[in-house]
């Protein structure tokens, strides 16, 4: 029972963490069709280059690629169909207000199962400049070197 309630990550958007500063994260439910959920369970999801847009008080994930289900028939889904996200009204209004400010966007960060429900973690993000990306790459490389040295692997000396 405890394993069923656990978080099983299906896909992550690593490019989003590289291209953006993530200020806040939200957990949203995802409206999926039958063949889409089967493809998601098989792990055939790509979140790269996806973003969220607002229409008529609702939020949609655009550019999330879910491959067609192999055993699907004529009722199979379109791979790049916009997926409706389920959030509370006040959260949608808050995100929409922030996005209208300069430099903010809402980006899907990961797709996972929480129990039997498909959930998407979305982030309120600010874009990084080139020098910010270089700085974070340098910091990550320095951290790796420190870990390597702490373990005692001094093969680079």
């Amino acid at each position: 029972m405890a394993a069923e309630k656990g978080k099983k990550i299906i896909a992550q958007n690593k490019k989003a963490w590289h291209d953006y500063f993530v200020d806040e994260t939200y957990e949203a439910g995802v409206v999926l069709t039958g063949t889409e959920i089967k493809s998601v369970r098989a792990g055939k999801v790509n979140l790269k280059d996806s973003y969220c847009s607002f229409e008529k008080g609702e939020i949609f994930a655009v550019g999330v690629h879910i491959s067609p289900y192999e055993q699907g028939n004529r009722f199979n889904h379109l791979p790049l169909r916009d997926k409706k996200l389920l959030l509370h009204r006040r959260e949608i209004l808050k995100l929409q207000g922030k996005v209208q400010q300069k430099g903010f966007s809402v980006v899907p960060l990961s797709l996972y199962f929480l129990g039997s429900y498909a959930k998407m973690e979305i982030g309120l993000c600010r874009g990084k400049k080139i020098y910010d990306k270089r700085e974070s790459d340098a910091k990550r490389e320095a951290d790796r070197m420190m870990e390597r040295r702490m373990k005692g692997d001094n093969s680079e000396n």
Side-chain angles (χ1 to χ4, degrees):
M1 186 77 179
E4 184 182 310
K5 293 291 180 186
K7 189 175 182 180
K8 182 182 175 197
I9 296 176
I10 303 299
Q12 290 186 325
N13 190 353
K14 293 179 182 176
K15 189 173 188 228
W17 291 97
H18 182 262
D19 291 344
Y20 299 99
F21 292 112
V22 179
D23 290 343
E24 297 176 36
T25 60
Y26 295 89
E27 180 181 73
V30 187
V31 177
L32 298 172
T33 64
T35 56
E36 280 179 326
I37 200 73
K38 290 182 179 211
S39 289
V40 169
R41 287 192 189 281
K44 305 209 174 187
V45 181
N46 187 355
L47 297 176
K48 200 173 188 182
D49 299 328
S50 59
Y51 61 95
C52 294
S53 68
F54 299 93
E55 290 177 28
K56 300 178 186 170
E58 297 178 332
I59 184 168
F60 292 90
V62 180
V64 175
H65 186 279
I66 298 177
S67 298
Y69 184 56
E70 286 146 7
Q71 282 80 36
N73 53 15
R74 65 179 185 216
F75 300 113
N76 222 342
H77 63 276
L78 297 172
L80 288 172
R81 182 183 73 85
D82 295 349
K83 281 75 173 167
K84 183 178 176 180
L85 301 179
L86 305 173
L87 284 172
H88 290 285
R89 172 88 43 215
R90 65 182 177 276
E91 291 175 328
I92 293 173
L93 293 174
K94 179 181 177 184
L95 286 171
Q96 197 169 11
K98 291 276 191 175
V99 166
Q100 289 172 350
Q101 293 178 8
K102 184 179 178 231
F104 281 105
S105 58
V106 179
V107 179
L109 301 175
S110 65
L111 183 69
Y112 55 92
F113 280 107
L114 192 61
S116 62
Y117 296 106
K119 301 283 186 175
M120 185 176 285
E121 182 180 29
I122 58 174
L124 181 65
C125 304
R126 289 179 289 123
K128 284 186 181 178
K129 304 285 187 219
I130 301 269
Y131 57 84
D132 290 329
K133 292 179 189 178
R134 274 193 226 115
E135 185 178 306
S136 59
D137 287 344
K139 183 183 181 313
R140 187 172 60 244
E141 189 62 36
D143 289 345
R144 280 189 196 147
M145 289 292 282
M146 286 282 240
E147 284 296 319
R148 217 175 283 141
R149 294 244 167 99
M150 293 296 281
K151 286 183 179 179
D153 182 19
N154 293 327
S155 61
E156 291 193 23
N157 286 340

